[in-house]
Amino acid sequence: MIDFANLEAWLVTGSQHLYGPETLQKVEEHSTAIARALATSLQIPVKVVPKPVMTNSDSIHQLCLDANTSKNCVGLITWMHTFSPARMWIAGLRSLDRPMLHLHTQFNEQLPWSTIDMDFMNLNQAAHGDREFGFIGARMRLKRKVIVGFWQDPVVHAELGAWLRAACAWHDAQQLEVARLGDNMRNVAVTEGNKVNAEMTLGYSVKGYGVGDLVKRVQQVTDAEVSRLTAEYDESYTVAESLRPGGTRRQSMCEAARIELGLRAFLEDTGSHAFTDTFEDLHGLKQLPGIAVQRLMADGYGFGAEGDWKTSALVRAVKVMSHGLEGGASFMEDYTYHLTNGGQVLGAHMLEVCPSIAEGRPSAEVHPLSIGGKEDPVRLVFTAAQGNAINASVVDMGNRFRLIVNQVNLLRVEHPLPKLPVARAVWVPEPNLKVSATAWILAGGAHHTALSRALTAEHLENFAQMAGMECLLINRDTRIRDFAKELQWNDMYYHLAHGL
């Protein structure tokens, strides 16, 4: 479902012919050594492929064109080992449509004080070679990430890893299809948006389908397939007595399994890796998909309730970014508050919270749902594990998409919740509920979010930079007066940047 095995980043090292073949050979040896070291780092999620040293405009231009058409290249890591005159980079950088990271490093960590000579100085010129390259990036107003530090430093590896994970999500978004089963929940504002602008700026395509298309696939599921999946449910979860074989509600479990199998087949048929549904359009389905959506998210699919395709695509991006990391990620909704001791948020949804964030073994249960007018749906019930997390929302501001990220701290729930049979999470937002909620509301943040225990704000900031998307961070340093000014400045910037 999510596979980094064939993905790669290209390490592109710049120099020039002025220094002669011996120096260029040494530059290539150093570049290859760095690429190999990065490729073996546990922080780096993809292959790092060293490319030949770039010394002229034609070769740079061709390399950038090759990157654009490569199915596996998620981005370029650039480094100017020596001085590389930046005018020869213009044609290539102008054509490049892959994300670019500028690694400002040098091969040696320390200066050889007693032996240093001009030959050493001419070889190890990144201190000013990278400044020349940095100028052309600034002059061309390129979207790029800059990381400074020694290439063997674990902190540098962590920063590179965060950027590369975002690059993988951006690479995925350029091919992503989001299936909408039905329309948005009627009269809701924040889940609406411009799907054409989304495809133009963020890459993914949003396609609408009638719920009858899904119902047809559900009806094609065989009883044998249902039996195999319900047996998997029995083994994987703590199943309520009424849902066990011979139980009074076992048929509800079978119907939930039939919906999951049909939904999986539908998504495979349409090539969709993210989807939405809405309880207002369930014609032909006996239940609102609950456990089906939860398990699909656990397998890497993006999801948004009530037709919220922007959150569905964001959940998919977060799933891709966090692939292979511990902690999980899920569709989420800020549902209700506990307003004592500074305030806490109880996050949940009717059914659809991903078990990848669960603490302990989820239980499979069936309960009434007062919305939708269908049979009681089966769902997984659990509480999210404690720890640091991020909660993020994408909204359409009319002339741009805005990403809002809040750092939160998930808590262990100290009180039993016997009458709340849904998956849930409790958190304290940074810096506190009062400031966080004020900033979130001022920014127009949605009630639907993507929550991740595996990522940090840095991952999403990198993703937003690649997309050219506005990104607002709410964390322990947030002050409302400064945040309000940032909103005003951003409005002016995007108005000027996009023109009339």
Side-chain angles (χ1 to χ4, degrees), residues 28 52 88 109 145 167 416:
E28 186 160 1
M88 66 186 187
E109 183 176 19
K145 172 84 171 186

Side-chain angles (χ1 to χ4, degrees), residues 393-406:
S393 168
V394 170
V395 292
D396 187 341
M397 299 304 295
N399 65 339
R400 66 189 185 277
F401 291 97
R402 170 180 285 170
L403 175 64
I404 306 145
V405 183
N406 188 195

Side-chain angles (χ1 to χ4, degrees), residues 249-262:
R249 304 298 300 276
R250 182 67 174 185
Q251 186 55 40
S252 295
M253 176 82 92
C254 293
E255 188 60 35
R258 192 176 301 275
I259 291 173
E260 178 181 337
L261 290 164

Side-chain angles (χ1 to χ4, degrees), residues 336-391:
T336 190
Y337 292 142
H338 183 65
L339 290 176
T340 63
N341 299 322
Q344 299 172 4
V345 179
L346 173 57
H349 204 254
M350 295 181 295
L351 303 172
E352 311 97 338
V353 175
C354 180
S356 65
I357 67 171
E359 181 176 51
R361 182 182 172 96
S363 61
E365 303 178 19
V366 60
H367 299 277
L369 185 67
S370 59
I371 292 176
K374 293 293 181 177
E375 295 179 2
D376 301 342
V378 177
R379 79 290 301 269
L380 297 176
V381 178
F382 57 84
T383 300
Q386 63 183 348
N388 295 330
I390 55 169
N391 208 23

Side-chain angles (χ1 to χ4, degrees), residues 397-468:
M397 299 304 295
N399 65 339
R400 66 189 185 277
F401 291 97
R402 170 180 285 170
L403 175 64
I404 306 145
V405 183
N406 188 195
Q407 295 185 177
V408 303
N409 300 296
L410 292 166
L411 305 177
R412 185 181 302 278
V413 179
E414 301 294 340
H415 306 280
L417 298 166
K419 295 185 177 181
L420 187 64
V422 295
R424 61 266 172 157
V426 176
W427 66 82
V428 174
E430 292 186 2
N432 54 58
L433 177 59
K434 183 177 180 65
V435 172
S436 168
T438 301
W440 192 273
I441 290 170
L442 286 173
H447 55 287
H448 289 166
T449 62
L451 182 140
S452 174
R453 297 181 57 245
L455 303 178
T456 66
E458 182 180 5
H459 293 87
L460 288 180
E461 288 174 321
N462 287 332
F463 183 81
Q465 181 269 328
M466 294 170 192

Side-chain angles (χ1 to χ4, degrees), residues 99 143 170 174 201-202 461-470:
K143 294 181 291 187
W170 180 248
Q174 307 318 296
T201 61
L202 302 176
E461 288 174 321
N462 287 332
F463 183 81
Q465 181 269 328
M466 294 170 192
M469 181 166 49
E470 179 186 10

